[in-house]
Amino acid sequence: MADKKLVEQITPMEEDFAQWYTDVVKKAELCDYSSVKGFMVIRPAGYALWENYMNVLDKMFKETGVQNVAMPMLIPESLLQKEKDHVEGFAPEVAWVTEGGQKKLEERMCVRPTSETLFCDYFAKVVKSYRDLPQVLNQWVSVVRWEKTTRPFLRTREFLWQEGHTVHATAEEAEARTVQMLNIYADFTEKYLAIPVVRGQKTEKEKFAGAVATYTIEALMHDGQALQCGTSHNFGSDFAKAFNVQFLDKDNQLKPVHETSWGYTTRMIGALIMVHGDDSGLKIPPRIAPVQICIVPIQQKKEGVLDKAAALKDQLIKSGFRVKVDDSDKSPGFKFADCEVRGIPLRIEIGPKDIENGHAVLVRRDTREKIQVPFENLDEEVAKVLEQIQNDMFEKAKQFLEEHTSEALDMDQLVDIVNTKRGFVKAMWCGCRECEDKLKDMSGITSRCIPFDQEQISDKCVVCGKPATKMVYWGRAY
């Protein structure tokens, strides 16, 4: 049984979801508050998660031809002003540097909120001919956006992300890359984080400032609110024209490039917590877990127990698992609770009786099921159990998504659903901005995406009753 005192320090999620989230972040030691309001210290446990995100995504990116670069942190104001819609979209969140050393700068510098302008400035210098295309680049950096309200991982004034930028000779190539990167995000989120997502396009109102089209993956958190998990933008040629990024094509004509941008951030650590966590803490899917297995020695002072634990650790590490032994002097109950709070997928308990009987006890974090496994079958059984945990976590989250997705045929039905249920609402839309605004005013929800997989729920707009053009996922969101 897990140590009760440790668990009691976590507020039950059904009692206060926001406090539950904060408690889990704190008890699992994922991050801490810094001396600068809105900025966080990502602790080793949190950064180990982000490292795994980076390692897997970086490999997936590079398999499609992406190369990594590093752009400056500061952007001259004149550069930022070159694309009107873009600067207007970010102006309220920009942090400015006005002095260097003891001198006032001739031009103030923006601490990057995003790097479209820097990449465009670079592309204008290196792209001259169709032979220089495509440019498929990415950087792993932090950005600063001066948010009014902050929450660890979900919305902070500085966060870590990857920021991809590409330029192409044709609109078709740019569109294909935009969708390709969104599908990479969706595959990673589902296969590694075990979070089911809805893939689709943002409305004109919700798209990225300066983009022709924004594509998104949307997930549903345990409290019924949506979270935008990753976005991919097709910029067309607007940035290229503003920054004079053009190339000499095969027909000897100068043409603007077609640009894309795509990003995935540390807010996805927050998503992992809110989709899978419970009142005992984190639940981390095995494929992304920094520690997949924690070996807990029972009566560890007795002869041979720690030696056997160390031997099992070495054996499992050689088989490719990520393993640790908790040989601290705390009680077994505390160690069990600590494993649960940190979301370690599998616990192996081993004591004198287990050694005598030639088996170990496996305990799943997701179901708390206990399984006795002979030492000679340990590697094989551990692999099976971890894969089962991964699959079961995804299926459970998928079932939650399906059970918390409703359909509305008219406004009264939609408002009733929003007031009585949590989750997504699928409803038809005429495509009119006024209807989108009215729906938000009346129900407090926003359009999450126009899904790629369209359904004909009805032929009328849920707001105005006129002919509908698209089915949309609506919901409250972080």
Side-chain angles (χ1 to χ4, degrees), residues 103-115:
K103 284 189 175 182
K104 189 170 183 179
L105 300 179
E106 292 182 8
E107 180 181 13
R108 63 178 184 165
M109 302 283 179
C110 156
V111 181
R112 64 173 168 234
T114 181
S115 304

Side-chain angles (χ1 to χ4, degrees), residues 38-57:
F39 289 70
M40 65 178 176
V41 176
I42 301 179
R43 299 183 66 175
Y47 198 80
L49 262 176
W50 181 240
E51 280 182 314
N52 283 359
Y53 285 31
M54 287 193 290
N55 291 338
V56 177
L57 280 170

Side-chain angles (χ1 to χ4, degrees), residues 329-449:
D329 60 1
K330 294 183 171 69
S331 70
F334 184 94
K335 293 178 184 181
F336 297 163
D338 190 58
C339 285
E340 292 190 354
V341 166
R342 295 178 187 277
I344 297 171
L346 193 61
R347 186 171 80 236
I348 296 179
E349 300 172 7
I350 178 171
K353 286 185 180 179
D354 300 306
I355 296 170
E356 185 181 330
N357 294 327
H359 66 232
V361 178
L362 276 54
V363 185
R364 291 176 53 158
R365 169 63 182 91
D366 60 330
T367 63
R368 294 187 172 89
E369 178 189 359
K370 291 193 173 188
I371 310 159
Q372 281 192 356
V373 177
F375 291 137
E376 59 265 26
N377 297 340
L378 189 62
D379 295 45
E380 181 184 341
E381 288 302 314
V382 161
K384 286 180 184 176
V385 172
L386 288 176
E387 190 62 19
Q388 190 64 53
I389 292 171
Q390 183 78 34
N391 294 335
D392 288 353
M393 289 181 70
F394 178 76
E395 289 302 322
K396 184 179 180 181
K398 185 179 177 184
Q399 183 181 350
F400 181 87
L401 172 63
E402 291 169 351
E403 290 176 352
H404 291 82
T405 300
S406 306
E407 293 182 4
L409 300 178
D410 56 40
M411 199 65 184
D412 289 341
Q413 188 179 17
L414 187 147
V415 172
D416 181 63
I417 290 169
V418 170
N419 289 335
T420 59
K421 297 181 181 179
R422 57 185 180 179
F424 286 128
V425 183
K426 294 191 291 189
M428 302 302 290
W429 177 52
C430 64
C432 173
R433 172 70 181 266
E434 285 76 12
C435 283
E436 188 176 2
D437 290 340
K438 186 177 180 181
L439 197 150
K440 182 180 179 181
D441 291 340
M442 291 182 69
S443 65
I445 60 176
T446 57
S447 62
R448 302 318 309 150
C449 72

